[in-house]
Amino acid sequence: MSFPESLLIRRANIILPDGDFMVGDVLTRHNQIVEVAPEIYPTTTVTEIDAQGLTLLPGVIDPQVHFREPGLEHKEDLFTASCACAKGGVTSFLEMPNTRPLTTTQPALDDKLQRASQKCLVNYGFFIGATTENLPDLLSANPTPGIKIFMGSMHGQLLMDQEEALEAIFAQGSRLIAVHAEDQARINQRRQEFAGIHDPAIHSQIQDNQAALLATQRALNLSRKYQRRLHILHMSTAEEAELLRQDKPSWVTAEVTPQHLLLNTSAYETIGTLAQMNPPLRSPHDNQVLWQALRDGVIDFIATDHAPHTLAEKAQEYPHTPSGMPGVETSLPLMLTAAMNGQCTVSQVVKWMSQAVAVAYGIPNKGAIAPGYDADLVLVDLNTYRPVRREELLTKCRWSPFEGWNLTGWPVTTIVGGRIVYDQGQVNTEVRGQALTFV
């Protein structure tokens, strides 16, 4: 195995594992951080990065993305998505199983891992999807961060909305279960009630707060019954947050997206179907309650649910438009801008986007800047604001729901496994990430 050359990052404002900051140096060697100190004097040849005026953070771990390969590469692929990750300071991702073919067997998982080893500039892991037919695969497939269950907003084999099938999965094994919690029966009923309406804003009424709450309650009940590790994906409602605030078992975690923190139903008026996602955008009240739940630790971390579609697909008339939006390039600047605006702290952003994700999924040696940790790092500029520009995006879909937003905390340099993968606007497409391990 060939190791990257040693890097010495000098004069950075470094966030330490306890959340405090220190101006100093970081030395990496053989994919790992070997020293963090006010000043380092290397004894061997190193590549130096002058980071004066910049802030050094652990690389972001995005625990929920849809990168569309195989089968839907016209929307995105592993190479374009991982370039977008590098630009956004995302050094590792966990990808979902709704590709074509579905990631529901060991051979399908192996195929994704092989593709990623050839194409991904950042580190990667892939969920296995639950169906009514693949329980043996759910118990044995490796390596995977967990089992993905679509309780709603899905069709075909991945839709798991029947109690008996859900219970069979919760009852066997110990692997983490991550749920897309929307109640399909309620969605079906409300689709009939609101049929014929083409205003995309109706999407948030069809897949309403109650649909999310019903499914989350159901998943929590099964988790309690079997003491099963549960993760609630992209929590979107005040009701779900309050439910967890009242009774959150120690083995349950939850995430929220920047979209559900920063956008609400008013976005339909300005960006139309580009605001359509599952679960949908909610009210300003939901924004506020979700923010408070995140700050209080009721919600554990951030994920983007990066789910790109082409502008042509999004230009269709509702309800024929697909749900989903890109996010890996903007998530860190969005959250750091929120920190600069006083909604949280930079230390909290690091916890929510790196440290807590590594802990929840048992990803060793990631999420902190300390000797022995992997050299997955991002240097950001907290002193400069720039708008989100469509023409600068690297995601294949080339649009963002946050276009025009003026953000700070843009990555200047991203490092994966001790290699510079992004620097000053340029992506190093020769870098390859590694398959993540889960313990």
Side-chain angles (χ1 to χ4, degrees):
M1 177 179 180
S2 62
F3 290 111
E5 58 190 327
S6 296
L7 295 178
L8 178 59
I9 303 166
R10 285 205 180 278
R11 295 177 287 276
N13 191 27
I14 305 161
I15 188 162
L16 302 174
D18 63 2
D20 288 338
F21 284 89
M22 175 190 81
V23 175
D25 300 351
V26 173
L27 179 65
T28 75
R29 186 183 301 123
H30 293 180
N31 311 330
Q32 288 193 328
I33 298 165
V34 294
E35 189 176 357
V36 180
E39 196 163 4
I40 294 172
Y41 302 94
T43 57
T44 58
T45 302
V46 298
T47 297
E48 289 198 16
I49 298 172
D50 183 0
Q52 189 164 13
L54 302 177
T55 300
L56 186 66
L57 310 177
V60 172
I61 306 171
D62 191 336
Q64 192 197 171
V65 299
H66 302 263
F67 283 171
R68 307 304 191 195
E69 184 176 352
L72 297 164
E73 288 92 342
H74 70 283
K75 301 174 191 281
E76 190 80 278
D77 60 61
L78 289 168
F79 176 75
T80 59
S82 64
C83 287
C85 283
K87 182 171 180 284
V90 176
T91 55
S92 301
F93 66 81
L94 304 181
E95 206 257 357
M96 291 299 165
N98 53 326
T99 44
R100 296 179 183 173
L102 306 175
T103 317
T104 55
T105 64
Q106 185 69 54
L109 178 61
D110 290 341
D111 176 66
K112 272 193 177 176
L113 289 163
Q114 176 62 26
R115 290 170 181 266
S117 70
Q118 297 173 354
K119 295 185 175 186
C120 280
L121 281 62
V122 302
N123 306 310
Y124 48 86
F126 299 100
F127 277 86
I128 187 162
T131 74
T132 57
E133 308 294 331
N134 74 332
L135 185 56
D137 294 277
L138 300 182
L139 295 171
S140 63
N142 270 304
T144 182
I147 299 164
K148 171 68 178 288
I149 296 181
F150 289 89
M151 300 175 72
S153 297
M154 182 50 65
H155 52 81
Q157 287 181 288
L158 286 181
L159 177 60
M160 296 285 290
D161 60 344
Q162 299 302 309
E163 191 73 22
E164 184 178 347
L166 288 169
E167 187 141 1
I169 295 169
F170 275 86
Q172 296 188 53
S174 59
R175 177 165 282 164
L176 178 148
I177 294 173
V179 294
H180 178 125
E182 290 189 276
D183 186 81
Q184 190 63 39
R186 182 170 177 85
I187 292 172
N188 292 341
Q189 171 199 332
R190 292 178 70 78
R191 278 178 180 160
Q192 293 180 356
E193 290 177 21
F194 296 102
I197 299 176
H198 299 293
D199 180 355
I202 204 69
H203 188 66
S204 292
Q205 293 187 51
I206 293 172
Q207 295 176 214
D208 66 351
N209 288 38
Q210 186 67 13
L213 179 62
L214 287 170
T216 295
Q217 288 173 325
R218 191 178 188 187
L220 281 169
N221 288 339
L222 286 167
S223 176
R224 282 193 198 92
K225 181 175 181 179
Y226 294 103
Q227 302 281 293
R228 186 64 182 268
R229 176 75 174 89
L230 173 68
H231 178 65
I232 301 163
L233 298 160
H234 45 41
M235 184 170 283
S236 64
T237 71
E239 290 88 343
E240 292 169 284
E242 289 306 315
L243 173 66
L244 280 193
R245 187 180 291 278
Q246 296 304 318
D247 184 13
K248 182 185 177 187
S250 61
W251 59 87
V252 172
T253 52
E255 71 186 31
V256 65
T257 70
Q259 300 92 290
H260 288 116
L261 293 172
L262 299 169
L263 297 175
N264 52 58
T265 50
S266 67
Y268 292 114
E269 300 169 16
T270 54
I271 61 173
T273 55
L274 298 186
Q276 182 186 331
M277 66 176 294
N278 296 331
L281 300 179
R282 308 297 186 187
S283 71
H285 171 69
D286 291 293
N287 294 150
Q288 294 167 8
V289 174
L290 291 169
W291 263 114
Q292 194 59 52
L294 182 62
R295 286 189 289 258
D296 292 344
V298 174
I299 297 173
D300 299 272
F301 49 82
I302 299 284
T304 65
D305 194 20
H306 177 99
H309 302 282
T310 68
L311 283 167
E313 290 168 332
K314 282 289 195 176
Q316 299 174 85
E317 187 178 58
Y318 185 85
H320 306 296
T321 41
S323 294
M325 53 183 74
V328 293
E329 282 170 90
T330 53
S331 60
L332 183 58
L334 284 165
M335 295 305 297
L336 290 173
T337 301
M340 294 299 100
N341 291 340
Q343 291 172 282
C344 58
T345 67
V346 174
S347 296
Q348 285 175 313
V349 172
V350 168
K351 179 181 178 183
W352 299 332
M353 301 190 76
S354 301
Q355 184 181 39
V357 182
V359 171
Y361 283 102
I363 306 171
N365 304 321
K366 294 196 187 293
I369 300 175
Y373 277 76
D374 292 342
D376 297 337
L377 302 163
V378 56
L379 275 167
V380 300
D381 181 355
L382 291 173
N383 301 309
T384 304
Y385 282 76
R386 287 194 294 107
V388 179
R389 296 187 177 98
R390 183 176 294 191
E391 61 270 20
E392 294 178 359
L393 296 172
L394 298 185
T395 174
K396 189 181 283 190
C397 72
R398 299 300 292 270
W399 62 270
S400 168
F402 299 102
E403 187 174 1
W405 286 42
N406 203 36
L407 305 178
T408 191
W410 289 99
V412 174
T413 304
T414 304
I415 296 163
V416 174
R419 291 180 168 91
I420 298 171
V421 69
Y422 175 82
D423 186 53
Q424 305 284 345
Q426 298 299 312
V427 176
N428 180 0
T429 59
E430 300 301 311
V431 174
R432 290 295 175 267
Q434 300 293 318
L436 296 170
T437 57
F438 309 97
V439 296

